[in-house]
Amino acid sequence: MPLAGRPLLGLALVLVLAPGARAQSADTSRRALDTVHVVGRIDDLIGSAASASEGRIGAAELRRRPLAREGEVLETVPGVIVTQHSGEGKANQYFVRGFNLDHGTDFRTSVEGMPVNMPTHGHGQGYTDLGFLVPELVDHLEYRLGVHHAALGDFASAGGADIHLVRTLDRPFVSLSGGGHGLARVAGAGARRVAAGDLLVGGETKMYDGPWLRAQALRKASGLARYSWSRGASRFSVLGLAYRNRWNATDQIALRAVDAGALSRFGQLDSTAGGAARRYSFSGTWSHVGDRSVQRLQLFGIRSDLRLHSNFTYFLDDPIRGDQFEQVDRRTVIGGGATHRQAARAFGVEHALMIGAESRVDLIDDLGLYRTERRRRLATVREDRVRQSGTGLFVEAESRWTPQWRSVVGVRGDAYSFDVASDRAENSGRRAAGIVSPKASVAFAPSASTELYASGGFGFHSNDARGTVIRIDPAKGAPVAPADPLVRSRGAELGLRLSPTAGARTTLSVWTLALASELVFVGDAGGTEASAATRRHGVTLASFWRPSARLGLDGDVSLARARFTGVEPRASRIPGALERVVAAGASWSAAPGELRRAWDGAFGGVRVRHFGAYALTEDGGVRARPSTLLSADAGYRLGRGTRLQLAVLNVANAAANDIEYWYASRLPGEEVGVAGVHAHPVEPTQLRVTVERRF
């Protein structure tokens, strides 16, 4: 959750401004205030959603998807693609709505309300590492795409997702998984009644080498402890999360070396790349559901450490010792948020009002970029100490003008402060900035099974604090201009939601999004890099159909056109912007019944994920190859509480690439740098077996 500046002031304003209007309609109160039971994409959101581009994914749907990486839980969001260009311990590469989000910029992700995006990060603005998740302990995911949601602030130009974890379990479980390339994983959790509440403890350990010629040697451990209890109409939760990981990395490689036969697709040009990560967090949440209002308050603290060694250009800058570099990010994040929801009646119309505040302070004590050789430091590019705060206040009102017409109108204000102490006095300094973002949606329901939407608004993303005060490029020593602290985005969307039967849901959205500038700090180089303004247009179609209690079908198609504006048409392509994404799947269970019981007896499923060719250069002359991956799984519940599952990833053994780039590098023996395609391959066919026992 972003928030800046003065957390206590923000929370105080929520209490002072909370409306006291009295609710007159029990129906409106129930819609606005009741706790929602989340099933998943089968939920009927007509009459409650603000747009066609929002929804929920339930735990049962998540468990039907074989996951190669924890971050792939986000691939349940229509149009989202999750890949990797380096070692698996590093944050994933994300794509949505014509964005190459790098490691998370412009898509806000939170877990139980705690922010995951890291501003002013050593490796990239908005760095989003979901490696600490234990997929079996994810309860559901809520997503909202577009800039028209007042509760979403920084990093949410393309939208956002909030991942919710389970509070308790009916029965404890242990899950054992094994597979090719050295995969070994153990996960488990259990809950019991302690005093007046529920104590949940769980976690996982994972080892994985991968298909790489140099073993990835991933060693990961994640843990969770949660205590939840209720007292009257109030609900409390304290949550602790812990995560440690280390790995060797095979970064993207020059395809010219593979084509010449000098390098395997699964080889590397720097055998000492890799990293280590740690993340610890603690949060406390209180919520209260009254007859006419709901309040929620959360406080959190996060400790995050990351060390990365990478080499993307090999010997381009230093033909003797190579171009390896080290990035370090060590920080403490403290923050919180509060919301007040109130049912009210005014002008003869029912309203649901929401006022909220959120704030975070990032205390970054060690932010460094170094030139290295075989992980040994040779020189310091820059070292910084940063204090960054952000506070956001927002107000939103949903009004039901008639049984068919609704409107959702909101405004958000954000204030930021940046304080950078650099190893070069010229690159130290302070900046402050603020931005106001109005938003609005209108919904019309001509029937009980159809709803139409028109939405629009403004958003933003923050730039790296170092880039807002920089004067001298630390890598080249040349003067540079500082970047704007906050970059404006604006968007609009037309949408349609259909629920023709109890088992069918379809949404269609036609959207546009413009950014005033994509000025960003480039962590790999230690300086700022400017781009022109951009504009994106697209269409997203998402469907879910359960023709019977045993069978579920889903399919999503997302098309996007991304261009720079104010430049020559022949140089207007945005490199890395996906133009076509298709995801579809089918799941089957022998035992009929509610979705959450679909694991009884035999079960199985198949999924396909496709993304089309996309531009790698501004003129579009070089394009990445399309990628299509097929996965399948099948299993059986052998007896009381025992489940056996067999998953096959990349069934067709497609020799595709997870990600492709175009830039210059220099291989051993080359006299000068050569521009070309660099890629990270998808992993070959892999069989994974899981045995789970519930006690």
Side-chain angles (χ1 to χ4, degrees):
M1 321 176 115
L3 268 29
R6 303 172 178 83
L8 295 180
L9 174 61
L11 298 182
L13 284 173
V14 173
L15 300 178
V16 172
L17 297 176
R22 184 173 181 178
Q24 300 294 322
S25 167
D27 179 66
T28 300
S29 298
R30 281 196 298 270
R31 287 178 180 271
L33 307 177
D34 275 5
T35 300
V36 177
H37 173 66
V38 176
V39 175
R41 294 182 68 171
I42 202 66
D43 288 339
D44 185 0
L45 301 182
I46 289 178
S48 61
S51 74
S53 297
E54 60 183 85
R56 308 185 185 106
I57 310 297
E61 296 170 39
L62 291 170
R63 293 198 72 190
R64 286 195 176 92
R65 295 172 178 250
L67 300 179
R69 314 174 180 103
E70 292 78 11
E72 289 180 5
V73 298
L74 290 181
E75 284 198 350
T76 58
V77 178
V80 171
I81 290 291
V82 178
T83 68
Q84 183 58 271
H85 75 96
S86 186
E88 192 172 312
K90 187 177 176 181
N92 294 119
Q93 192 94 6
Y94 305 97
F95 301 83
V96 68
R97 288 202 164 187
F99 279 92
N100 177 348
L101 297 167
D102 191 32
H103 297 292
T105 307
D106 290 307
F107 190 83
R108 169 175 152 161
T109 305
S110 60
V111 173
E112 283 295 330
M114 289 184 290
V116 182
N117 303 76
M118 293 293 175
T120 310
H121 192 269
H123 186 67
Q125 179 71 344
Y127 188 82
T128 303
D129 184 4
L130 289 171
F132 63 91
L133 284 180
V134 181
E136 291 90 341
L137 300 181
V138 174
D139 182 72
H140 68 280
L141 178 153
E142 297 177 317
Y143 67 87
R144 289 172 285 184
L145 300 177
V147 296
H148 41 274
H149 306 282
L152 299 183
D154 198 5
F155 303 121
S157 291
D162 191 12
I163 299 169
H164 298 267
L165 307 177
V166 298
R167 290 176 174 264
T168 189
L169 295 171
D170 294 335
R171 299 158 67 183
F173 75 91
V174 174
S175 177
L176 306 176
S177 299
H181 311 304
L183 174 68
R185 180 178 182 268
V186 180
R192 62 177 301 175
R193 194 75 177 169
V194 176
D198 295 302
L199 176 64
L200 171 69
V201 178
E204 71 160 319
T205 62
K206 180 180 178 181
M207 298 185 294
Y208 185 53
D209 291 334
W212 321 109
L213 295 188
R214 186 194 183 213
Q216 184 172 238
L218 181 136
R219 300 294 183 267
K220 169 190 166 182
S222 299
L224 175 153
R226 185 172 201 171
Y227 186 66
S228 307
W229 72 100
S230 298
R231 181 174 297 174
S234 294
R235 193 179 189 187
F236 303 86
S237 172
V238 290
L239 171 66
L241 298 171
Y243 164 70
R244 294 177 66 98
N245 199 354
R246 59 180 174 85
W247 65 94
N248 299 322
T250 295
D251 294 331
Q252 68 261 20
I253 56 176
L255 289 189
R256 64 182 183 276
V258 177
D259 295 340
L263 190 66
S264 164
R265 290 183 66 242
F266 303 107
Q268 77 287 316
L269 287 156
D270 187 334
S271 62
T272 60
R278 294 184 298 173
R279 184 187 189 277
Y280 306 99
S281 67
F282 184 82
S283 66
T285 305
W286 166 79
S287 60
H288 178 84
V289 180
D291 293 336
R292 300 181 301 274
S293 64
V294 174
Q295 295 81 34
R296 186 176 187 274
L297 173 67
Q298 180 185 42
L299 299 173
F300 60 81
I302 303 170
R303 177 63 184 180
S304 174
D305 296 345
L306 178 70
R307 182 184 299 274
L308 281 175
H309 288 90
S310 308
N311 188 344
F312 304 136
T313 54
Y314 323 126
F315 294 93
L316 181 65
D317 296 329
D318 189 332
I320 305 300
R321 294 175 295 186
D323 298 348
Q324 189 184 85
F325 58 92
E326 177 187 8
Q327 294 164 314
V328 175
D329 187 291
R330 294 191 179 95
R331 72 178 65 205
T332 299
V333 185
I334 55 175
T339 57
H340 177 94
R341 301 173 186 267
Q342 183 79 44
R345 184 177 180 84
F347 310 108
V349 176
E350 304 298 338
H351 307 274
L353 307 177
M354 178 175 66
I355 296 180
E358 53 183 12
S359 187
R360 69 181 283 178
V361 178
D362 287 70
L363 308 173
I364 312 171
D365 295 316
D366 192 356
L367 193 58
L369 177 62
Y370 309 93
R371 302 297 182 196
T372 58
E373 180 184 16
R374 302 185 66 82
R375 302 197 184 188
R376 180 175 59 87
R377 289 183 184 176
L378 302 174
T380 298
V381 177
R382 71 178 296 169
E383 291 179 327
D384 300 272
R385 177 179 171 272
V386 178
R387 299 292 183 262
Q388 175 172 333
S389 67
T391 296
L393 301 175
F394 56 91
V395 180
E396 188 174 82
E398 178 183 358
S399 304
R400 299 181 178 273
W401 303 102
T402 71
Q404 291 79 34
W405 287 94
R406 290 185 297 125
S407 67
V408 181
V409 179
V411 64
R412 182 184 180 94
D414 289 88
Y416 281 77
S417 65
F418 309 92
D419 186 349
V420 179
S422 184
D423 56 354
R424 297 186 65 155
E426 303 96 323
N427 290 337
S428 299
R430 296 181 179 180
R431 290 286 298 272
I435 196 167
V436 176
S437 306
K439 305 156 187 289
S441 295
V442 177
F444 171 63
S447 71
S449 62
T450 305
E451 194 159 47
L452 302 169
Y453 308 91
S455 306
F458 296 84
F460 73 99
H461 75 238
S462 62
N463 271 325
D464 190 296
R466 294 167 293 180
T468 68
V469 299
I470 192 171
R471 300 294 178 185
I472 301 295
D473 187 314
K476 301 176 182 178
V480 293
D484 293 331
L486 305 177
V487 176
R488 167 67 77 195
S489 59
R490 64 185 190 277
E493 178 180 304
L494 297 176
L496 167 68
R497 187 182 299 270
L498 297 173
S499 297
T501 69
R505 305 286 182 260
T506 295
T507 60
L508 173 68
S509 59
V510 180
W511 54 268
T512 182
L513 179 65
L515 270 71
S517 172
E518 294 193 22
L519 283 170
V520 295
F521 182 91
V522 182
D524 297 343
T528 52
E529 185 175 279
S531 77
T534 59
R535 181 173 290 116
R536 293 167 170 85
H537 310 286
V539 179
T540 301
L541 174 68
S543 294
F544 183 89
W545 182 36
R546 184 167 288 281
S548 72
R550 293 180 172 87
L551 179 64
L553 305 172
D554 67 90
D556 304 331
V557 178
S558 183
L559 307 177
R561 182 181 187 272
R563 296 289 188 272
F564 290 116
T565 60
V567 300
E568 291 292 328
R570 63 177 180 272
S572 63
R573 300 296 183 97
I574 302 177
L578 291 190
E579 302 167 7
R580 181 176 69 252
V581 173
V582 179
S587 61
W588 174 84
S589 174
E594 295 182 5
L595 189 62
R596 62 178 179 270
R597 299 193 51 173
W599 287 96
D600 296 341
F603 60 88
V606 62
R607 296 206 61 78
V608 62
R609 186 200 78 177
H610 167 83
F611 57 85
Y614 54 94
L616 295 180
T617 57
E618 287 82 355
D619 63 3
V622 181
R623 294 176 63 80
R625 291 175 292 180
S627 169
T628 302
L629 298 179
L630 181 68
S631 62
D633 73 314
Y636 196 86
R637 184 168 178 171
L638 300 173
R640 182 178 177 81
T642 301
R643 181 174 61 88
L644 175 66
Q645 182 176 6
L646 178 68
V648 183
L649 306 179
N650 193 2
V651 172
N653 199 28
N657 292 319
D658 251 343
I659 182 68
E660 295 185 16
Y661 306 91
W662 175 272
Y663 59 83
S665 64
R666 184 176 178 183
L667 302 175
E670 292 181 336
E671 295 296 326
V672 295
V674 177
V677 177
H678 298 71
H680 194 262
V682 301
E683 299 189 18
T685 300
Q686 183 178 158
L687 183 68
R688 297 186 174 184
V689 178
T690 298
V691 178
E692 182 178 288
R693 173 69 178 174
R694 293 187 177 268
F695 301 95

